[in-house]
Amino acid sequence: MDRMAELTARPAEREVVYGPPAAAPSLHVRAARVLEANWTGASTVPSRGLYPHQWSWDSAFIAIGLRHLSPLRAQTELETLLAAQWADGRVPHIVFNPSVPLDAYFPSPDFWRSSTAGRAAGAPRTVQTSGIVQPPVHALAAWLVHEADPGLSRARGFLARVYPRLAAWHRYLLHRRDLGGGGLASVVHPWEQGMDNSPCWDAPLSRVTPAPARSFRRADLAHGAPEDRPTDLDYGRYVQLATDYRDRGYADPAGEFAVEDPSFNALLIASEHALARIAHELGAPGTARQARAERLTRAMLDRLWDPAEGMFFCRDLRDGVLIRERSVSGLIPLLLPALPRDIAAALVRTVRGPHFGLGGTTRLVPSHDLLGESFDPHRYWRGPAWFNTSWLLERGLRLHGEQGRADALRKAVLHTAGATGFAEYVDPYTGEACGAADFAWTAALTLDLLHDQPALHKSTRVTELADVTDVTDVTEVTDVTDVTDVTDVTAFRSTALQGGDRG
């Protein structure tokens, strides 16, 4: 039995005659089991039921967690996604698994028609994809995966192979998608920004005539409560926007919807910083990319920052005005290293203030303004808290010296992930689970927070994380010798995993 199988295997059931009951599996083991169950052999699905294909930014977050179990599988995750890149540089937001029935998810491959409608843009012939994109977290993920096992990465030529694809991906965003002329990348569909149903899109979407209800079937409602999902009206507008983009051959610029979003651009900037590090690792100067990241940071401050409100806002490029909806997207730039000190301090005040309530009224960072008219604690991206945005903000808080608040957020993320069975998202007040269970990026980012101990170099040590019985006390663990319940972590990392690792 290999190490991944050893970690995730459940003990055989047998009658217990005497002695204490077996201890419950640690949070680490439970998270690893989620990723193993969602692994397809070459990539990881977000959720076996609701999301049965490979999603772009999901795979980036998943790789960040997988690197702690197997850097090889984490590399494979990103390589599989980038193998579906279009010739114009775009990385599609879905790579479809041909073994999944067409009616399992909508929009399905026969809607996007990538190999025909996307031919002029260089869509691949051998794999079916969507035609839109998602936030560019990939270079950041690639660098973190490399750092997990630099020897393996260099032996496989991992960075040398992914760097040209990542550079082309950024080139596409910085040139084809600079629709506002101010240097920032634009999204042309709400699904591209990742926060699909955010109130930020209500005003731009109001210009879009929805597709007729009879023209599409909502597979998502078979897996989630209608009151937690986008409305039929919103979904009809999503479908119409995607249809129009497809019928134009996925040519940029697009149609009625074009928005500069702070989170999307902050992740692009963070990945530009990562590309600079990758370039340096490969023996090339990264100074041009570092300068570009700083230039993009200034452009975002010029175009999207509102000092009176203490946060960033989206800009609607069709009328040129800021969309004054307070979204978690406007807080994500906190993860940028070149952010001026006063801007970072203002963002911290905003995330702790009445509109987001972190550290006070809310457990995790809500996706939308608690005081906004559109706030709903359960409806998709209109209020619930998501684990990836809290993970990003935990990094941002720590980067800007807010160690105590970062530790508290980390503790809340770990407790909530464990208590909810790695839910897709949660009620920000109560932590009640919403959406899909056993969600892959929730499990992956839990692993990352478990391994990335904030006090790693302190003297206090424990032998195993499994010795911590209360997940709420996980921040009391200041160093971990063996967080996997596997005695040889080095061997575990380098062992090929059951289910499809390739090198």
Side-chain angles (χ1 to χ4, degrees):
M1 180 181 291
D2 68 23
R3 292 294 189 179
M4 186 66 171
E6 182 180 341
L7 175 63
T8 58
R10 300 178 187 275
E13 293 184 5
R14 60 183 181 274
E15 184 178 359
V16 178
V17 178
Y18 59 86
S26 69
L27 184 62
H28 188 285
V29 170
R30 291 168 57 204
R33 285 175 178 168
V34 170
L35 295 181
E36 178 68 3
N38 289 2
W39 176 250
T40 68
S43 63
T44 309
V45 298
S47 151
R48 282 288 179 183
L50 184 53
Y51 307 106
H53 302 284
Q54 182 179 25
W55 262 258
S56 173
W57 76 325
D58 291 73
S59 276
F61 288 120
I62 289 164
I64 289 168
L66 274 177
R67 68 191 173 120
H68 301 295
L69 301 176
S70 168
L72 179 56
R73 185 174 286 190
Q75 291 174 29
T76 301
E77 184 80 37
L78 295 173
E79 290 164 349
T80 300
L81 177 69
L82 292 173
Q85 185 173 28
W86 291 27
D88 67 0
R90 81 182 74 193
V91 176
H93 99 294
I94 303 175
V95 180
F96 290 106
N97 183 341
S99 68
V100 174
L102 287 178
D103 62 357
Y105 183 81
F106 180 86
S108 51
D110 57 342
F111 170 87
W112 296 103
R113 305 171 200 163
S114 61
S115 59
T116 54
R119 185 177 296 131
R125 299 289 185 88
T126 57
V127 63
Q128 293 296 312
T129 76
S130 65
I132 60 175
V133 302
Q134 272 191 327
V137 201
H138 312 90
L140 174 60
W143 177 249
L144 294 176
V145 167
H146 164 78
E147 285 191 308
D149 192 335
L152 175 68
S153 175
R154 292 172 187 137
R156 296 187 69 243
F158 170 65
L159 291 181
R161 285 183 290 110
V162 300
Y163 180 81
R165 291 184 176 273
L166 293 169
W169 169 218
H170 285 209
R171 204 158 44 242
Y172 168 78
L173 293 173
L174 292 168
H175 295 283
R176 303 286 186 91
R177 288 300 190 87
D178 182 10
L179 305 182
L184 299 181
S186 303
V187 295
V188 299
H189 194 289
W191 290 341
E192 292 198 313
Q193 192 266 358
M195 304 177 191
D196 307 5
N197 195 38
S198 169
C200 295
W201 318 136
D202 290 355
L205 279 176
S206 67
R207 296 188 292 264
V208 178
T209 302
R214 64 182 180 278
S215 66
F216 60 90
R217 183 188 66 84
R218 293 189 59 180
D220 63 314
L221 296 182
H223 301 277
E227 60 270 19
D228 292 349
R229 304 294 298 174
T231 65
D232 287 342
L233 177 61
D234 285 335
Y235 213 91
R237 287 169 168 155
Y238 303 153
V239 170
Q240 190 60 54
L241 273 177
T243 300
D244 292 344
Y245 194 35
R246 177 199 67 199
D247 292 348
R248 286 193 300 274
Y250 299 110
D252 299 309
E256 291 295 326
F257 188 98
V259 174
E260 291 174 348
D261 173 77
S263 175
F264 192 98
N265 281 280
L267 293 172
L268 175 59
I269 295 165
S271 279
E272 274 291 314
H273 283 295
L275 273 185
R277 291 189 173 190
I278 293 172
H280 182 74
E281 165 69 20
L282 295 174
T287 51
R289 292 203 173 277
Q290 198 74 31
R292 183 180 295 115
E294 293 171 4
R295 187 165 62 250
L296 286 168
T297 301
R298 290 193 296 271
M300 194 165 64
L301 286 166
D302 289 343
R303 294 181 64 79
L304 306 182
W305 174 250
D306 187 327
E309 298 294 344
M311 66 181 300
F312 293 87
F313 289 102
C314 297
R315 182 176 293 277
D316 185 348
L317 295 180
R318 291 295 170 254
D319 59 17
V321 303
L322 292 178
I323 301 169
R324 296 193 176 278
E325 291 281 358
R326 296 179 182 87
S327 162
V328 69
S329 172
L331 306 174
I332 299 300
L334 187 63
L335 64 84
L336 299 179
L339 205 64
R341 183 176 300 178
D342 61 324
I343 304 294
L347 286 171
V348 172
R349 287 194 297 272
T350 300
V351 75
R352 295 179 59 237
H355 296 287
F356 294 94
L358 186 65
T361 58
T362 59
R363 299 188 179 198
L364 302 182
V365 186
S367 53
H368 190 63
D369 180 4
L370 298 171
L371 305 180
E373 292 183 6
S374 301
F375 174 79
D376 185 327
H378 286 184
R379 193 178 288 276
Y380 208 63
W381 289 110
R382 300 180 81 84
W386 292 71
F387 291 88
N388 65 329
T389 53
S390 286
W391 180 86
L392 291 166
L393 287 170
E394 192 270 353
R395 289 179 69 88
L397 288 167
R398 204 170 296 287
L399 176 67
H400 291 285
E402 297 285 344
Q403 305 302 327
R405 294 189 175 98
D407 288 348
L409 180 53
R410 175 180 173 275
K411 180 177 179 177
V413 168
L414 292 174
H415 171 65
T416 308
T420 60
F422 306 101
E424 182 180 1
Y425 53 98
V426 298
D427 183 310
Y429 290 119
T430 67
E432 176 188 349
C434 302
D438 295 329
F439 200 70
W441 80 24
T442 304
L445 297 177
T446 295
L447 284 171
D448 191 62
L449 290 176
L450 286 171
H451 279 262
D452 188 16
Q453 294 292 330
L456 190 60
H457 302 293
K458 291 185 179 179
S459 58
T460 305
R461 300 175 68 85
V462 297
T463 302
E464 291 193 49
L465 186 63
D467 293 338
V468 182
T469 56
D470 184 354
V471 179
T472 62
D473 292 334
V474 74
T475 52
E476 301 304 315
V477 181
T478 56
D479 196 7
V480 178
T481 300
D482 181 359
V483 293
T484 63
D485 296 344
V486 177
T487 55
D488 184 352
V489 178
T490 304
F492 170 60
R493 284 180 170 177
S494 61
T495 301
L497 284 83
Q498 184 179 46
D501 261 345
R502 54 185 173 86

